[in-house]
Amino acid sequence: VARIKSQLRRYIKYNLKEKREDILDIRGLQINKSNHKTLLYGKELPLTPLEFSILYYLCKHQGEVVSSEKLFEEVWGEKFLDQNNTVMTHIGRIREKMHESARKPKFIKTVWGVGYKWEK
């Protein structure tokens, strides 16, 4: 009985940890990786799979500046090409869907010449 209880305790402990890591809750934005749903202040954001991956990656690296090259390589899984505006375009669409201004963004900040970061 003691062995079974210890196995159940470990199973519950480690499985709940995995589930908590799938859900990010940052300043009114909830991202659930397991079901690909994103809520902003309780309202669902209709994101494409690429937009979701970009947003999830930025939130996972909250406070860090992520270069466009790194973001492209992590999300698309391909080598970044020079003068590629793909990341910038997708960031713009995410900002539109989040109803935030490009001039004064609350969430995704542009670090000119370096990349993007999710503000803490």
Side-chain angles (χ1 to χ4, degrees), residues 13-25 31-34 56 60:
K13 178 182 176 184
Y14 292 118
N15 283 334
L16 290 179
K17 183 180 179 183
E18 285 179 16
K19 296 214 184 269
R20 276 188 251 128
E21 289 176 359
D22 282 351
I23 299 173
L24 297 176
D25 191 0
I31 302 175
N32 189 332
K33 189 174 182 180
S34 62
Y56 187 80
K60 270 299 239 194

Side-chain angles (χ1 to χ4, degrees), residues 2-120:
R3 287 181 186 160
I4 292 171
K5 285 183 180 180
S6 68
Q7 288 291 335
L8 286 173
R9 185 177 58 247
R10 279 187 229 124
Y11 174 80
I12 291 170
K13 178 182 176 184
Y14 292 118
N15 283 334
L16 290 179
K17 183 180 179 183
E18 285 179 16
K19 296 214 184 269
R20 276 188 251 128
E21 289 176 359
D22 282 351
I23 299 173
L24 297 176
D25 191 0
I26 305 168
R27 294 181 14 208
L29 179 75
Q30 293 178 341
I31 302 175
N32 189 332
K33 189 174 182 180
S34 62
N35 65 11
H36 270 254
K37 288 203 177 197
T38 307
L39 300 173
L40 181 62
Y41 304 120
K43 200 172 185 182
E44 189 170 348
L45 288 178
L47 298 177
T48 66
L50 282 173
E51 291 168 348
F52 180 87
S53 297
I54 291 169
L55 193 60
Y56 187 80
Y57 188 84
L58 287 173
C59 289
K60 270 299 239 194
H61 297 88
Q62 183 181 1
E64 297 175 24
V65 178
V66 180
S67 68
S68 296
E69 295 88 4
K70 178 74 172 167
L71 198 54
F72 187 87
E73 289 172 3
E74 289 294 325
V75 172
W76 277 265
E78 298 175 10
K79 183 102 173 102
F80 182 80
L81 302 173
D82 291 334
Q83 304 301 324
N84 192 337
N85 292 330
T86 305
V87 174
M88 183 178 64
T89 304
H90 280 81
I91 294 286
R93 288 187 189 141
I94 294 169
R95 284 179 175 154
E96 282 178 25
K97 291 178 180 182
M98 294 177 77
H99 304 292
E100 73 172 357
S101 167
R103 295 205 183 267
K104 293 184 180 179
K106 293 189 303 186
F107 298 107
I108 302 172
K109 302 280 185 181
T110 302
V111 180
W112 293 104
V114 182
Y116 301 95
K117 79 174 184 175
W118 184 272
E119 281 294 310
K120 283 189 175 184

